């Protein structure tokens, strides 16, 4: 059974640019959640996708957007990057929303 | 508004002794509480959970205690092992919210 994978592992972008992060969910999981983990903080919920539709959103601006594909993989898009967007971005997949399995994350640095 | 708080940034324990990690919450609507462990360069991995209607759940060396009146939970690891050294996150789940709310994490170091 393949676990949750994320790409890329690391990314450096310039303020104002756009970025796309990718997540492949665990086999059999139809729900994907995205979290932002700033340095020294716990993960913060960005949004969740269930069967290709957004199914809950945290306190993040609209420049954070996402997609879920028919194979349940997902993308997180961030427009107009700001320095404070520098963080570890975690993807978690689940078949029941409570039991979430996390990927290793993508480390985004905005300069 | 930090609804889940872990007030101890770090904890150092000797191998074989008990590790106690603490977590406080403010929202009485949470239905489940979970503990996750995170090693560097890996995502958080689920450790143990407890329903809000229970006061204790045990799984091997790990026990979680819930005190609803105090809005406090704790994770006990007995005996502690060097491989337990990691960041531990407390998280809360509310069925009506449909999301996990995490604390800031506690770095546990177990010395041989």
């Amino acid at each position: 059974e393949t676990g949750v994978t994320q790409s890329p592992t690391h990314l450096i972008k310039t303020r104002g640019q756009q970025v796309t992060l990718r997540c492949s969910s665990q086999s059999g999981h139809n729900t994907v959640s995205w979290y932002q983990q700033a340095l020294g903080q716990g993960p913060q919920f960005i949004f969740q996708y269930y069967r290709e539709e957004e199914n809950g959103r945290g306190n993040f601006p609209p420049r954070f957007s996402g997609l879920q594909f028919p194979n349940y993989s997902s993308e997180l898009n961030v427009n107009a990057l700001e320095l404070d967007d520098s963080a570890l971005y975690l993807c978690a997949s689940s078949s029941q929303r409570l039991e979430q399995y996390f990927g290793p994350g993508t480390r985004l640095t905005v300069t | 508004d930090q609804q889940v708080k872990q007030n101890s940034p770090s904890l150092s324990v000797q191998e074989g002794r008990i590790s106690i990690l603490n977590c406080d919450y403010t929202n009485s609507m949470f239905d489940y509480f979970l503990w996750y462990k995170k090693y560097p360069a890996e995502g958080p991995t689920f450790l143990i959970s407890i329903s809000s209607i229970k006061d204790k759940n045990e799984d091997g060396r790990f026990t979680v205690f819930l005190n609803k009146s105090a809005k406090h939970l704790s994770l006990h690891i007995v005996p502690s092992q060097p491989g337990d050294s990691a960041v531990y996150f407390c998280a809360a789940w509310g069925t009506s919210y449909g999301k996990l709310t995490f604390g800031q994490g506690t770095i546990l170091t177990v010395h041989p």
Side-chain angles (χ1 to χ4, degrees):
Chain A
E1 186 178 80
T2 306
V4 179
T5 60
Q6 292 186 242
S7 62
T9 306
H10 296 91
L11 202 52
I12 300 175
K13 289 286 190 177
T14 303
R15 190 171 48 184
Q17 286 187 317
Q18 178 266 342
V19 69
T20 297
L21 311 181
R22 293 178 176 82
C23 170
S24 291
S25 59
Q26 189 164 314
S27 176
H29 289 180
N30 56 18
T31 302
V32 172
S33 303
W34 285 92
Y35 294 83
Q36 180 196 67
Q37 187 184 359
L39 201 61
Q41 300 295 318
Q44 278 203 298
F45 177 73
I46 303 175
F47 44 56
Q48 181 179 87
Y49 279 83
Y50 171 67
R51 293 188 175 181
E52 303 178 57
E53 293 201 3
E54 189 177 291
N55 184 39
R57 188 177 184 93
N59 189 26
F60 281 80
R63 58 190 185 85
F64 286 77
S65 63
L67 281 174
Q68 187 179 31
F69 300 99
N71 66 354
Y72 302 129
S73 65
S74 178
E75 285 183 356
L76 164 65
N77 299 291
V78 187
N79 294 320
L81 283 166
E82 300 176 0
L83 296 178
D84 284 349
D85 295 333
S86 295
L88 179 68
Y89 287 85
L90 294 162
C91 162
S93 75
S94 60
S95 54
Q96 301 173 34
R97 293 189 296 171
L98 174 61
E99 297 178 10
Q100 300 190 11
Y101 295 83
F102 285 83
T106 294
R107 172 73 61 188
L108 172 65
T109 302
V110 182
T111 61
Chain B
D1 177 26
Q2 190 76 29
Q3 296 191 57
V4 179
K5 290 184 183 180
Q6 294 175 257
N7 292 317
S8 298
S10 63
L11 175 67
S12 184
V13 171
Q14 206 67 31
E15 182 179 6
R17 297 287 186 97
I18 184 172
S19 295
I20 300 176
L21 298 107
N22 294 302
C23 178
D24 297 298
Y25 63 95
T26 57
N27 190 338
S28 58
M29 298 299 290
F30 288 131
D31 299 302
Y32 286 90
F33 300 91
L34 304 88
W35 286 93
Y36 281 81
K37 179 169 71 173
K38 187 179 185 302
Y39 293 118
E42 294 183 13
T45 55
F46 170 75
L47 201 55
I48 191 169
S49 66
I50 187 168
S51 164
S52 62
I53 63 173
K54 300 278 181 82
D55 55 19
K56 178 182 175 181
N57 188 27
E58 194 171 352
D59 184 2
R61 296 186 297 115
F62 302 92
T63 303
V64 57
F65 295 93
L66 175 61
N67 183 335
K68 284 181 66 177
S69 61
K71 293 191 173 67
H72 177 84
L73 64 152
S74 60
L75 174 68
H76 292 211
I77 306 174
V78 183
S80 301
Q81 300 172 353
D84 295 329
S85 298
V87 180
Y88 287 78
F89 290 102
C90 167
W93 170 271
T95 304
S96 58
Y97 307 118
K99 65 173 186 176
L100 284 172
T101 301
F102 284 85
Q104 307 96 308
T106 297
I107 301 170
L108 174 65
T109 304
V110 181
H111 298 283

